[in-house]
Amino acid sequence: MDSDLPLSTAPSLPSVEEEAVALGRESILARLRERIVAFAASRYAGAHAEDLAQEVLVVIHEKYGHLHRLEDLVPLAFQILRFKLAAHRRKAYRHGDVDAVDVDTFPPASDAPDPAAVLERKELLARLLGGIAHLGERCRELFRLKLQGRTFAEIQQTLGAATLNTVYTWDHRCRKQLLEALGGSWDQPVGRGAP
Amino acid sequence: MNRAEAEKLLGGHATGTLTEAERSLLFAAALDHQELFDALTDQEGLRELLAEPAARAQLLAALAPAVPKVVPFWRRPGLLAAVASLLVGTTAGLVYLRSPEAGRVPALQEAPKAAPKAVEAPPAPPAPAREKGPGRPATRQQEVPPPLAQAAAPAPAAAADLASRPLALKSEAAPSRLEAAPSRMAGGAVASAPPPAAMKAKKDAQEVDQMAQQNQTKVAPSLRIRAFSGLTGASDPRALRRELEGQLLTPALAAALADLPAGTTLELKVDATGKVLTATFDRSFPGAARVQALLVAWRLRTWTGGLAGSLELTLGWDL
């Protein structure tokens, strides 16, 4: 060790807490990667599932390096993955080239709403309005209370349910009914044209 | 939390209902279970949609408790037809009952009975009038016999009054005409001067009958769907057709379609919620623009399935 080197220039060691946070984040991202690859492979990406997962993680590393919590990273991953998948599908159908490299960035550079996303949301809303017409009275009331911003505990009191788990069960069944009314998928199947 | 329990939180995640603790449990379970992760990713679009205030407001409006729809009476064709029939029947009945024709039959029956009695009765009441002069009405009033005591007397008195009315116009009427008036009444010449009110009432009754016949003629032809086809998705075509036929009979639309040529084809484009987007006829006719404006305001209640479509109707008239 050179004695002329001032002690103040020595790099500081990470604290235990920072190490724990970093390990936690890495663990979360590792598990996220596995899930993303499996999801993308089962949906539309096919051979590009690994690339897609890598793109999602790159975005999280570069733009959201300050996030460490599970509650922040996981929903963020959902949004980025959905965005990347949609871009991948549009490019594949537009060019007919499944090997095209996806160069879209997340979030979009422009603040203007993506026209395709706006149209998809409009169609989903129309389908939802049609689907909730088929729900029973309790499911409609439950959905209405959720949209009003009530928590499950508040909904339990409003509906007079015996336990919180009862409300969870009702909600789960109503969600399945709504999904069936929408044809089994929240998203419109691609390629069927206008609904 | 195991996968089954975490799945129950999926619905709450889409609507933003979960507490912080519930979210943590759900996401932790999603990292360990692929099915849960897939379900969360699949519903990400739904979650984004429900996060929009405008979309939430629309859904809340659709989920609001239904208020019983009060249909105004002017939109109920059956009720209007029943009330109209009752009014026409009542008016016709009143006109008939009040017409002189209804009251003339008993009068005709009484006049022949009274006339022979008038001929047989002694001319006592007219004689005093002759002696004292026709210009002294007080005398005539004193000499009118009590009607209950003498049945024949009121008849000659009435006959004398009736006879005197037309003769009052002619001041030079001779006394001999007073004596001949009852016999003239007996001869059945009652109709020699029929009152104008009776003629008018009879004419009114005839007009009411004609109007009723014309109304029946106007109501008889009704618009019908001759042919029905299109992309109706999951909707029941028969229910759709019934609803469309009912809508075509609403007063405003029926009036606007009065000049529709038979065999005209109407094409309707419908969105996923059943709202009519466009209405196009294959030929023009007076009032077509008004009809199109009325049709585009429709929302078909029997349109189900959440898919848009189109309908082609060939319209005609039932005679």
Side-chain angles (χ1 to χ4, degrees), chain A residues 27-28 31-32 34-39 42-43 69-72 74-75 77-79 81-82 85 121-122 124-132 134-135 137 139-141 143-153 155 164-165 168-169 171-172 175 178 181 186-188 192 194-195, chain B residues 1 4-5 7-20 22-25 27-50 52 54-56 58-60 62-66 270-273 303-309:
Chain A
S27 168
I28 293 170
R31 289 152 76 190
L32 260 179
E34 289 177 23
R35 296 288 159 255
I36 292 172
V37 169
F39 176 81
S42 69
R43 293 297 190 270
R69 298 192 318 148
L70 172 79
E71 296 82 2
D72 297 325
V74 172
F78 292 146
Q79 292 181 47
L81 176 57
R82 174 180 160 78
L85 269 175
R121 284 186 192 173
K122 193 175 172 185
L124 177 58
L125 180 60
R127 292 172 65 227
L128 262 182
L129 288 168
I132 61 177
H134 291 87
L135 295 180
E137 196 55 40
C139 288
R140 289 166 61 92
E141 182 63 14
F143 197 33
R144 190 175 69 84
L145 292 171
K146 283 163 60 179
L147 288 176
Q148 286 180 344
R150 312 278 188 99
T151 62
F152 279 126
I155 293 172
L164 193 58
N165 197 50
Y168 290 156
T169 305
D171 187 53
H172 183 59
R175 179 182 175 277
L178 183 57
W186 302 113
D187 290 326
Q188 190 78 4
R192 274 173 58 182
Chain B
M1 176 177 272
E5 290 172 355
E7 265 184 357
K8 295 180 183 178
L9 297 177
L10 280 173
H13 174 254
T15 53
T17 305
L18 300 183
T19 61
E20 196 65 25
E22 287 167 339
R23 289 178 78 232
S24 299
L25 289 170
F27 295 147
L31 286 181
D32 292 331
H33 302 282
Q34 187 63 45
E35 299 85 3
L36 202 53
F37 184 91
D38 292 353
L40 278 168
T41 312
D42 282 336
Q43 72 172 29
E44 182 59 21
L46 174 67
R47 189 200 63 77
E48 287 177 5
L49 174 69
L50 296 180
E52 289 179 6
R56 276 206 176 214
Q58 263 190 279
L59 288 166
L60 278 169
L63 288 164
V270 183
D271 72 3
T273 64
W303 188 273
T304 58
L307 299 173

